[in-house]
């Protein structure tokens, strides 16, 4: 696989399969701004074109920017059912993977052996595996991100597992740590090979429902991630807030790498700049 970070929570995952490449994009922010928030640096290169699927964690404007989603054409947007219904009302291809509407604060109930593909048993409230092509599948995971509910959009929040026969990637989405994270390796049927973990926000102070660098490192240790790529940092800021306090946007990636060395020695931190890729 090749993982390309576009900035904030937007990642392009290119997967080589026997039937051709599969391209998946997470939380696409492809335009210059997200509502009132400003993007530092240039817009991402169009490495996202031709996406086969989109993983959408929740509907906050910095993750579900409608103009960016429309740039991806008719690619299915895999998310929680409530979010999918709202997206369809906007003319987008929302696909709800779970079996219920509340996914923001429901931890996994317990270990799930193997790779469940039918409802039933602990963790089934987050749906079944969804095939993207013949060799890639996606499953929802819980996320706890209810600190700033929106009055005009559903507030369900999820993460995603992406899996082939060789590896599993976890895109955590916006979340704080929760006890059920310990069960994610069992849901994956063998461990987390790559984790995309948020490590900051769009301001120098984190609100609830987020991970900072140290918390993200502890999460990597909890799930046993072999490789961790920090996202959700160094990209967005409020108007006039890029350098208040000075340099705040640049610290989180290196701080996460340092925290991983201390708290998750079994994990390798890979810190990318926007537009850079890692291959594994």
């Amino acid at each position: 696989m090749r993982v390309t970070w576009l900035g904030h929570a937007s990642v392009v995952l290119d997967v080589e399969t026997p039937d051709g490449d599969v391209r998946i994009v997470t939380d696409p922010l492809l335009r210059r701004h997200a509502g009132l928030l400003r993007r530092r640096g240039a817009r991402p290169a169009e490495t996202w074109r031709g996406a086969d699927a989109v993983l959408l964690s929740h509907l906050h404007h910095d993750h579900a920017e409608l103009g960016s989603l429309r740039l991806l054409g008719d690619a299915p947007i895999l998310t929680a059912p409530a979010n999918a219904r709202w997206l369809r009302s906007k003319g987008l291809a929302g696909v709800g993977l779970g079996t219920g509407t509340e996914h923001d604060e429901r931890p996994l109930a317990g270990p799930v052996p193997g790779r469940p593909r039918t409802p039933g048993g602990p963790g089934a409230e987050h749906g079944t595996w969804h095939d993207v092509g013949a060799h890639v599948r996606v499953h929802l995971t819980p996320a706890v991100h209810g600190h700033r509910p929106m009055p005009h959009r559903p507030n369900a929040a999820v993460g995603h597992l992406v899996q082939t026969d060789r590896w599993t990637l976890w895109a955590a989405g916006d979340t704080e740590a929760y006890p059920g994270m310990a069960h994610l390796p069992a849901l994956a049927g063998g461990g987390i090979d790559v984790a995309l973990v948020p490590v900051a926000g769009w301001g120098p102070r984190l609100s609830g429902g987020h991970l900072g660098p140290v918390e993200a490192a502890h999460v990597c240790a909890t799930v046993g991630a072999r490789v961790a790529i920090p996202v959700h940092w160094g990209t967005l800021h409020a108007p006039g807030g890029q350098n208040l306090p000075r340099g705040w946007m640049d610290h989180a990636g290196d701080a996460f790498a340092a925290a991983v060395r201390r708290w998750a020695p079994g994990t390798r931190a890979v810190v990318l700049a926007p537009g850079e890729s890692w291959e594994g």
Side-chain angles (χ1 to χ4, degrees), residues 106-204:
R106 297 175 64 184
L108 289 172
V112 182
R115 294 171 176 168
R117 299 180 67 87
T118 57
E125 68 271 23
H126 294 281
T128 56
W129 291 93
H130 175 90
D131 292 328
V132 181
H135 302 278
V136 182
R137 50 193 175 267
V138 175
H139 196 291
L140 294 188
T141 66
V144 179
H145 189 62
H147 187 72
R148 291 180 173 175
M150 294 177 292
H152 57 293
R153 295 184 178 192
N155 287 283
V158 295
H160 297 79
L161 292 177
V162 181
Q163 189 173 79
T164 70
D165 292 334
R166 298 180 59 189
W167 50 259
T168 299
L169 177 143
W170 175 44
D174 269 14
T175 186
E176 62 189 52
Y178 58 86
M181 283 181 175
H183 303 310
L184 290 176
L187 178 61
I192 305 297
D193 297 291
V194 180
L196 308 178
V197 288
V199 300
W202 49 260

Side-chain angles (χ1 to χ4, degrees), residues 5 8 38-41 199-204 232-238 240-254:
W5 184 46
H8 202 53
R38 299 295 180 257
R39 184 189 191 101
R40 182 173 68 167
V199 300
W202 49 260
H232 208 281
W233 69 281
T235 309
L236 292 180
H237 59 89
Q242 181 173 351
N243 295 306
L244 297 173
R246 185 176 180 180
W248 71 268
M249 295 186 72
D250 299 315
H251 299 322
D254 289 341

Side-chain angles (χ1 to χ4, degrees), residues 2 7 32 59 62 104 106 148 157 167 205 213 233 237 241 252:
R2 181 171 68 250
R32 182 64 179 166
L59 295 179
D62 55 326
D104 50 343
R106 297 175 64 184
R148 291 180 173 175
W167 50 259
R205 296 181 181 178
W233 69 281
H237 59 89

Side-chain angles (χ1 to χ4, degrees), residues 58 86 108 114 176 220 261:
H58 64 298
W86 185 87
L108 289 172
E176 62 189 52
C220 290
R261 289 193 292 270

Side-chain angles (χ1 to χ4, degrees), residues 252-266:
D254 289 341
F256 171 72
V260 163
R261 289 193 292 270
R262 179 173 183 181
W263 300 109

